[in-house]
Amino acid sequence: MYNFVLNGQQVDVGHNINLLEYLRDYARLTSVKNGCAEGACGACMVLLEGKATRACVLTTAKISGKIVLTVEGLSKQEKDIYSWAFATAGAVQCGFCIPGMVISAKALLDKTHDPTCDEVKRALHGNICRCTGYVKIEQAVLKAAKALREGFTPSGDSNYKVGDRMPRVDAKDKTLGTAEYVDDMIVDGMLYAAILRAPSARAFIKKIDTAAAQALPGVEAVITAKDIPGRRNQGHIIPDWPAFIAEGEETRYIGDALAAVAATSKKIAQEAVKLIQVDYEELTPLLVPRQALADDAPQLHPTGNLLARTVLKRGNVEEAIAKANYVVTQRYITPATEHAFLEPESALAVPNNDGTLTVYTASQNVYDDHHGIVSLLGVEENEVRIISKMVGGGFGGKEDLSVQHHAALLAWHTKKPVKNTLSRQESINVHPKRHAMEMEFTTACDENGIITAMKAELIADTGAYASLGGPVLQRACTHAAGPYQIPNVDIVGLGVYTNNLPGGAFRGFGVTQSCFPMENNINILAEKVGISQWEIRWRNAIEPGKVLPNGQIADQGTALKETLLAVKAAFESNPYAGLACAMKNAGIGVGLPDIGRVKLKIENGTVVILTGAACIGQGLVTVMTQILCETTGIESSQIMAVEPDTYLTPDSGTTTASRQTVFTGEATRQAALKLQEALATASLTDLEGCEFYGEYSGVTDPMGCDKPNPVSHVAYGYASQVVILNHAGKLVKVVAAHDVGKAINPLGVEGQIEGGVVMGLGYALTEDFPLKAGIPQVKFGTLGLLRASSIPEIETIIVEKNQTELAYGAKGVGEITSVAIAPAVAGAYLRLDGKVRPELPLAYTPYSRKK
């Protein structure tokens, strides 16, 4: 028997188990999150005898006789203060890491009542956040410290409008650990899933013998490809990704599923997977895109190894290059990257008495999940309901089916609830990554630094399956020339299948990769011309009414030059400052259907927002609330939102392409205008039960259309980012100026910028994703994620110029924030030591890791 005090109560545990498992599965304390289970992320932080300690590295035996505190055990005053501080500072985005941050903050503030910024950074060193960039979390800790010292009075303001710094509506629940993520859910009779994965990246599967696993006591079902009642292959655009690899087929990557088990406990399910016997033949994997394109390469898919080809041409590139005064040609390599969202993938499928199935997910679109699961089960659409719980980060990595379909299949077969949650290492091995790319860019200019032409070849490793590889390649190519006036462009992109992990959506959606070579080439040209990195960009920057390299005419809200002016002083006053610019579309565009939808329903004197749009940490519900308040005059205390639900909420598209603030925001405005009209002659009480629907459809031109100036996207955001080093090459400061059109919530915009900057710094300097025979050679703790103690000062500058009615002038900001940072860092090192660094992460810096 092991005894300890948990949140002030004596606890007796009869066996020695992992403390994280005990706290979550037995004590049902949901503030303690399972982020990595390897002692790296800090999401499971608890106070052990007053010291912040990761629960996943402890056992009940180790803590016997000691005192343990979780967020649930804080005093009412502490809960009030921490939730207020984290909300008003804007420190909460996806929220998954925040309870762990609170525990680390308490450990500090219990001993140091008035800490310095450096002391806060050190206290948070054990906690990783992928969303916020740490800046506002540090500010929240300092606010909490002041409130604990001096007392505080929470703000009672609920009259927030567009442009106000409204605290996030879900911040309190996320801070205190009461917000529900899928893996927090437990239902009666629930089974646990475990998945058997491929033995290697490429293997011919001869036989799958599940008999021993099925005979294990506690196992309720073992299923394979033959047990799929509907369509086995899934995919956003190209259905080339099988839910299970069947006997007589080849695996295409290490994450391929061969079989799935449902059992009465996690342990039994995992033991059963080990009992499944697989007879297979090892095959030589295709790991390099250029090798996969060879004529004699084995074909990984029936259509061949070339997934997609994108071409963008304007003007006469060869002639312009021949006439140019200066020409730079350089080859660049960018790696695959792990999204590293803090919440591993989880889904819970629950059969209903009427024969239907409800699946709780944490993805970027419940309707994408619905489409995949319905086709997999071969049932009618109304037989499956998808409900989203809180989403603990996504960044593009939760757009594909990863756990939802296997949970649904097992629940369908067993007629019992089944939860399928990936371990952190499974998550790393299974879900799509940022595409690794090999690129050759040629950029030419005249004697004054005016860019006359650019030519590029991009080869993207799309890995085993298509996912969103085609659209990612398109964005990489359509944005490759950057936000400049360049009359002659010749861009060719190839997306190639290999046996590496699939490449999919990732914040920046291909633009992060192609921005790196273009901005580096511009810096090299600037040195040849004899002008600064700032000056060459100023001379070439896109302006309203001018033509972008993709042919679209820049609208009157275009403010790239304003962002350049905003960072000019920071760049020119520091000898080791690097500069890069970026553009990023808002909306899917290129002629594809793209619609935002919102329904407002009046219930009990409250306006209920219903939309299928996913909030994955960006604060969409808060934005919709402010738009509704601005349009109708209703106070935020009279507004609430329901979670995305395919039975209740209209499809508002995937949370991708920096589109939700624009598309779902405008749909909210349209619905609110109808409500405003009704309120002119009635009260909310009078309107009880009424519904008001709004939608916005972005109309654009398709790729390759014959228009001289096609409208590829409804809006673009622009940015200029400066990275400042000291003489030793260490990060000192980042200044990020962003043209966001109109900041619906400046507090949220700042948080998006800060988080994107830190993600970009990691991409530039420390993050890598090495593979060996197609197998990731990393754990969560070795990904190279930056921690609070490594972050420089970040100054955000919000540029507002757009005056359109569309979503009150807002543009998307989620993706562009991380696009230009890597080339800005490279530009700073170029000024420091004169070395061109064409590969990420950058070599020969104080941050370089030994390989």
Side-chain angles (χ1 to χ4, degrees):
M1 184 70 69
Y2 304 100
N3 316 100
F4 56 94
V5 176
L6 174 61
N7 294 334
Q9 300 294 318
Q10 183 73 31
V11 171
D12 300 320
V13 182
H15 55 295
N16 184 27
I17 62 171
N18 181 271
L19 179 59
L20 175 59
E21 181 182 354
Y22 174 79
L23 294 174
R24 287 188 58 79
D25 295 347
Y26 295 86
R28 300 292 296 123
L29 298 175
T30 57
S31 75
V32 188
K33 304 299 185 187
N34 186 352
C36 70
E38 63 182 51
C41 76
C44 66
M45 204 72 80
V46 298
L47 278 187
L48 179 63
E49 298 286 303
K51 181 180 179 181
T53 310
R54 300 170 182 88
C56 67
V57 299
L58 298 173
T59 63
T60 51
K62 286 183 180 179
I63 65 167
S64 190
K66 298 182 179 179
I67 299 174
V68 177
L69 186 80
T70 71
V71 168
E72 287 87 349
L74 298 179
S75 68
K76 182 181 184 304
Q77 181 196 37
E78 287 175 315
K79 288 181 179 179
D80 288 344
I81 286 177
Y82 281 112
S83 60
W84 164 82
F86 274 75
T88 56
V92 183
Q93 291 190 24
C94 89
F96 196 81
C97 71
I98 298 301
M101 295 284 183
V102 170
I103 290 295
S104 292
K106 177 174 169 56
L108 170 68
L109 301 185
D110 281 354
K111 297 176 181 177
T112 307
H113 302 312
D114 191 5
T116 65
C117 290
D118 283 343
E119 286 173 327
V120 173
K121 283 180 177 288
R122 288 196 294 272
L124 299 177
H125 180 77
N127 300 75
I128 285 177
C129 177
R130 191 61 159 167
C131 296
T132 68
Y134 303 104
V135 175
K136 287 182 167 32
I137 292 176
E138 294 165 17
Q139 293 170 355
V141 176
L142 293 172
K143 290 186 77 166
K146 187 173 188 294
L148 288 166
R149 292 193 309 270
E150 303 174 6
F152 82 113
T153 302
S155 169
D157 190 5
S158 64
N159 188 25
Y160 293 103
K161 300 292 181 63
V162 167
D164 291 340
R165 300 174 71 84
M166 180 180 176
R168 203 165 291 221
V169 297
D170 54 12
K172 180 177 181 179
D173 291 342
K174 287 178 173 178
T175 302
L176 299 181
T178 57
E180 193 171 55
Y181 300 82
V182 177
D183 198 36
D184 295 333
M185 301 177 71
I186 292 179
V187 299
D188 290 341
M190 188 175 79
L191 304 176
Y192 296 85
I195 313 299
L196 177 66
R197 303 288 175 182
S200 64
R202 184 167 175 246
F204 180 75
I205 305 301
K206 298 178 180 179
K207 179 73 175 175
I208 302 172
D209 185 353
T210 63
Q214 289 173 323
L216 185 68
V219 170
E220 299 268 338
V222 182
I223 61 174
T224 61
K226 64 180 180 291
D227 299 306
I228 295 175
R231 190 179 75 179
R232 183 159 58 100
N233 279 13
Q234 301 296 314
H236 288 284
I237 300 169
I238 299 174
D240 63 355
W241 196 336
F244 293 109
I245 300 295
E247 293 176 344
E249 294 180 346
E250 289 183 14
T251 64
R252 296 187 179 94
Y253 88 116
I254 193 66
D256 271 329
L258 303 184
V261 173
T264 54
S265 74
K266 297 175 188 177
K267 184 178 180 181
I268 293 173
Q270 291 160 359
E271 288 177 354
V273 162
K274 296 175 184 177
L275 294 175
I276 299 172
Q277 299 296 310
V278 180
D279 183 13
Y280 66 94
E281 177 188 353
E282 191 84 36
L283 301 174
T284 302
L286 274 178
L287 305 174
V288 180
R290 288 190 183 275
Q291 293 177 0
L293 291 173
D295 292 339
D296 60 348
Q299 301 299 288
L300 302 182
H301 288 271
T303 55
N305 294 340
L306 181 63
L307 165 68
R309 186 172 188 266
T310 294
V311 177
L312 177 63
K313 292 189 178 184
R314 292 181 64 245
N316 190 328
V317 168
E318 298 302 333
E319 180 180 336
I321 290 174
K323 292 180 177 179
N325 292 75
Y326 302 100
V327 179
V328 172
T329 298
Q330 180 70 51
R331 180 173 170 269
Y332 295 89
I333 296 175
T334 60
T337 317
E338 161 65 28
H339 297 77
F341 34 73
L342 264 287
E343 177 206 25
E345 298 89 335
S346 184
L348 171 62
V350 181
N352 302 307
N353 292 333
D354 61 1
T356 62
L357 185 70
T358 299
V359 185
Y360 298 93
T361 70
S363 69
Q364 293 179 226
N365 186 0
V366 291
Y367 281 91
D368 286 345
D369 292 354
H370 183 262
H371 174 76
I373 291 172
V374 164
S375 69
L376 195 70
L377 296 179
V379 298
E380 297 298 320
E381 291 191 357
N382 62 1
E383 294 183 69
V384 175
R385 179 182 187 180
I386 311 295
I387 300 175
S388 177
K389 307 305 289 183
M390 290 290 175
V391 184
F395 316 111
K398 291 181 179 176
E399 292 193 36
D400 300 84
L401 292 177
S402 57
V403 289
Q404 309 94 312
H405 54 328
H406 292 142
L409 278 167
L410 286 167
W412 197 255
H413 279 279
T414 62
K415 307 304 179 187
K416 295 182 179 181
V418 178
K419 184 195 285 186
N420 184 22
T421 302
L422 297 187
S423 70
R424 177 55 69 176
Q425 196 59 48
E426 273 187 293
S427 175
I428 288 173
N429 290 351
V430 169
H431 76 253
K433 313 302 173 193
R434 175 182 279 139
H435 288 76
M437 290 194 189
E438 178 184 327
M439 299 165 282
E440 184 173 279
F441 272 54
T442 296
T443 315
C445 71
D446 66 14
E447 70 277 10
N448 297 313
I450 303 300
I451 301 172
T452 56
M454 70 83 64
K455 182 178 182 179
E457 179 190 59
L458 300 83
I459 298 180
D461 184 352
T462 206
Y465 300 108
S467 181
L468 287 162
V472 167
L473 183 68
Q474 274 190 355
R475 275 339 130 257
C477 291
T478 57
H479 289 62
Y484 306 108
Q485 303 176 53
I486 305 175
N488 304 289
V489 298
D490 184 350
I491 303 165
V492 177
L494 303 177
V496 185
Y497 286 119
T498 67
N499 290 120
N500 293 320
L501 275 67
F506 196 126
R507 192 179 203 170
F509 209 75
V511 185
T512 316
Q513 294 95 311
S514 61
C515 180
F516 180 64
M518 184 62 185
E519 293 294 306
N520 271 287
N521 272 14
I522 289 175
N523 287 341
I524 299 169
L525 283 178
E527 290 196 340
K528 289 180 177 290
V529 176
I531 57 178
S532 73
Q533 294 179 9
W534 188 92
E535 184 62 33
I536 194 170
R537 286 172 173 81
W538 178 259
R539 295 181 186 184
N540 291 282
I542 191 66
E543 300 175 20
K546 301 298 183 180
V547 181
L548 287 161
N550 63 12
Q552 184 165 343
I553 298 173
D555 64 30
Q556 294 304 306
T558 299
L560 176 63
K561 282 201 162 182
E562 287 82 348
T563 68
L564 277 166
L565 288 172
V567 301
K568 184 178 183 183
F571 175 80
E572 293 184 343
S573 62
N574 292 278
Y576 308 132
L579 170 64
C581 295
M583 61 183 282
K584 182 66 179 71
N585 60 288
I588 297 169
V590 295
L592 298 173
D594 199 2
I595 304 174
R597 299 179 178 93
V598 168
K599 184 166 63 176
L600 305 177
K601 186 174 182 179
I602 313 305
E603 292 183 351
N604 302 317
T606 297
V607 183
V608 181
I609 302 173
L610 298 102
T611 180
C615 180
I616 62 173
Q618 81 278 34
L620 177 63
V621 174
T622 308
V623 164
M624 290 190 293
T625 300
Q626 288 179 259
I627 289 174
L628 182 52
C629 291
E630 177 74 27
T631 309
T632 65
I634 294 172
E635 293 196 354
S636 61
S637 59
Q638 297 174 281
I639 299 168
M640 63 170 289
V642 302
E643 55 206 357
D645 181 334
T646 56
Y647 271 23
L648 301 177
T649 59
D651 186 359
S652 198
T654 307
T655 296
T656 188
S658 301
R659 60 179 296 280
Q660 290 296 7
T661 293
V662 178
F663 283 74
T664 304
E666 175 60 14
T668 303
R669 191 179 76 90
Q670 292 296 332
L673 287 170
K674 296 175 182 177
L675 172 59
Q676 179 193 37
E677 184 179 353
L679 286 170
T681 57
S683 68
L684 281 179
T685 301
D686 297 330
L687 297 173
E688 180 69 22
C690 292
E691 295 183 357
F692 303 88
Y693 176 76
E695 81 172 38
Y696 167 68
S697 179
V699 179
T700 54
D701 296 314
M703 284 284 294
C705 75
D706 56 5
K707 289 185 179 181
N709 299 110
V711 176
S712 296
H713 298 280
V714 298
Y716 290 94
Y718 299 90
S720 297
Q721 297 179 328
V722 169
V723 173
I724 300 168
L725 306 174
N726 62 20
H727 68 280
K730 298 284 284 186
L731 295 167
V732 173
K733 185 177 182 179
V734 175
V735 182
H738 282 262
D739 161 27
V740 302
K742 174 65 178 178
I744 304 297
N745 186 332
L747 188 65
V749 170
E750 290 167 1
Q752 288 289 289
I753 294 172
E754 291 157 359
V757 163
V758 170
M759 187 175 281
L761 291 174
Y763 184 51
L765 293 167
T766 57
E767 292 184 40
D768 204 357
F769 199 78
L771 298 165
K772 184 177 181 181
I775 302 173
Q777 302 297 293
V778 290
K779 299 187 298 182
F780 191 82
T782 61
L783 287 168
L785 305 177
L786 292 173
R787 296 177 183 267
S789 53
S790 302
I791 304 307
E793 178 186 355
I794 302 174
E795 178 185 352
T796 61
I797 302 173
I798 297 174
V799 175
E800 297 180 294
K801 180 181 180 181
N802 203 20
Q803 299 299 318
T804 68
E805 290 185 350
L806 179 62
Y808 287 107
K811 302 178 182 180
V813 72
E815 294 178 280
I816 192 173
T817 55
S818 62
V819 169
I821 283 291
V825 175
Y829 281 107
L830 181 65
R831 293 185 72 194
L832 176 69
D833 59 19
K835 293 180 181 178
V836 175
R837 292 168 169 83
E839 188 170 349
L840 294 177
L842 300 174
Y844 312 114
T845 78
Y847 303 90
S848 298
R849 296 191 291 172
K850 294 181 179 179
K851 296 183 179 180

